[in-house]
Amino acid sequence: MSPPSATSPVVENGDSSKPSNIAPHEPGLDKASAKAKMPAFPGPPKFDDPYKERAYLKGRLAAAFRIFGKYGFDEGVAGHITLRDPVDPSTFWVNPFGVAFSLIKSSDLILVSEEGEVIDGGPCRLLNTAAYAIHSAIHQARPDVNAAAHSHSIYGRSFCSLGKKLDTITQDSCAFHNDHVLYESFNGIVLAAEEGENIAKALGNNKAALLQNHGLLTCGKTIEETVFWFVSMEKCCHAQLLADAAAAGRGGQTIKIGEEEAVFTYKTVGTPLAGWFSAKPLFDVIHKETGGDYLE
């Protein structure tokens, strides 16, 4: 039931003919307590057994491929997502070459060593050389990175042809403010270890890279975070392509978010935990839509 002040006129200076324009608080809340606060995020599950953690994370990686398939981030056999193995952190799980993202199950994933040897996995054990070259270099250079994703998404690869970084023009793009790079070299399909090492070096400590004339690359502490950064960055590329075209058509430019505001917003939407939690709806929906068959 609403407090009386929400339904009854308030007498002001003895005049009860005018309704009050003062928004009432619920009983017991003072003005300071009524201010909106960002709730504390839950966090990823913790495991005391690395083999149980492996089983869980393989399921999440398979779900990640289903999400990429749903969003159209597949292009023939191109694209890959990797996950550092919790049992042997010098190895990583990746999709088998030539298997559709939308069909991948946990049992299909293959385990790859730092030397590019497939040491475990499903019935198809073909390894994408580009996946090995890029992801092996990143996992070795970044001990904090447990997952990395790259694909030839339509807006990402379109934006990457411009040879520029994202502008901070929306709240969502603040997640990448001072936290993404432009890799300005394109030397064809990444088949050499040296090119993978160059990409890893250019990435530095950032969460994402725009690979010029190629596509997007994201990474993170969790597979969920990594997937969300990719999905969000793809949408930021789309938004900027639209905004830049509209602004140019009117002879103007887009409005940029100020440095102070962008940094402040980044601390809320650009953290690893924010990325992990933001991905939760994506994984929940894919589980519902697939009936969880990716876990097989």
Side-chain angles (χ1 to χ4, degrees):
M1 181 176 179
S2 301
S5 59
T7 56
S8 303
V10 176
V11 176
E12 298 179 358
N13 298 324
D15 183 2
S16 62
S17 63
K18 296 181 179 180
S20 171
N21 61 1
I22 301 174
H25 295 305
E26 290 296 324
L29 283 180
D30 56 28
K31 185 176 180 180
S33 301
K35 288 185 177 179
K37 295 180 180 179
M38 181 65 70
F41 294 127
K46 299 182 183 300
F47 296 86
D48 55 10
D49 182 340
Y51 287 93
K52 291 181 179 178
E53 184 177 10
R54 170 193 276 178
Y56 172 79
L57 292 178
K58 285 180 65 181
R60 300 302 272 180
L61 179 57
F65 284 110
R66 298 298 185 96
I67 292 169
F68 268 38
K70 177 179 178 178
Y71 278 85
F73 296 161
D74 47 356
E75 182 78 14
V77 297
H80 20 84
I81 312 174
T82 55
L83 174 72
R84 190 188 298 275
D85 182 53
V87 176
D88 180 1
S90 67
T91 64
F92 59 86
W93 295 91
V94 67
N95 50 307
F97 197 30
V99 177
F101 287 177
S102 297
L103 297 178
I104 287 180
K105 299 179 179 180
S106 176
S107 57
D108 292 320
L109 301 169
I110 58 176
L111 184 63
V112 181
S113 71
E114 288 183 349
E115 295 72 34
E117 178 186 0
V118 178
I119 54 180
D120 197 1
C124 176
R125 298 197 175 188
L126 289 175
L127 173 62
N128 184 330
T129 304
Y132 165 71
I134 296 173
H135 293 259
S136 178
I138 291 173
H139 283 295
Q140 291 183 58
R142 294 278 301 276
D144 61 308
V145 166
N146 288 315
H150 166 66
S151 190
H152 301 170
S153 54
I154 185 64
Y155 298 110
R157 71 193 194 205
S158 298
F159 190 85
C160 286
S161 70
L162 303 179
K164 60 181 290 186
K165 293 170 61 177
L166 282 171
D167 291 330
T168 309
I169 58 173
T170 66
Q171 176 175 301
D172 304 283
S173 64
C174 288
F176 303 100
H177 185 71
N178 295 331
D179 202 6
H180 76 287
V181 299
L182 171 66
Y183 180 65
E184 299 182 83
S185 175
F186 178 73
N187 296 310
I189 298 175
V190 182
L191 300 178
E194 182 180 1
E195 182 69 357
E197 291 167 2
N198 289 339
I199 291 174
K201 183 178 180 180
L203 177 64
N205 292 320
N206 297 279
K207 67 158 65 89
L210 300 164
L211 308 182
Q212 189 166 286
N213 304 112
H214 193 169
L216 307 182
L217 172 71
T218 60
C219 62
K221 293 182 178 181
T222 62
I223 185 64
E224 293 89 352
E225 174 195 355
T226 300
V227 166
F228 182 74
W229 297 146
F230 194 99
V231 171
S232 184
M233 194 172 210
E234 167 75 356
K235 292 183 177 180
C236 286
C237 288
H238 189 183
Q240 186 166 338
L241 288 168
L242 291 172
D244 282 347
R250 297 172 63 89
Q253 294 185 346
T254 56
I255 304 299
K256 313 302 188 289
I257 295 174
E259 178 67 17
E260 182 178 353
E261 292 77 12
V263 170
F264 176 80
T265 305
Y266 174 90
K267 293 177 181 178
T268 299
V269 302
T271 65
L273 191 54
W276 176 86
F277 188 61
S278 296
K280 181 182 181 299
L282 299 174
F283 282 78
D284 289 346
V285 169
I286 211 68
H287 184 80
K288 177 71 172 180
E289 290 180 345
T290 64
D293 76 331
Y294 61 88
L295 295 171
E296 297 174 7

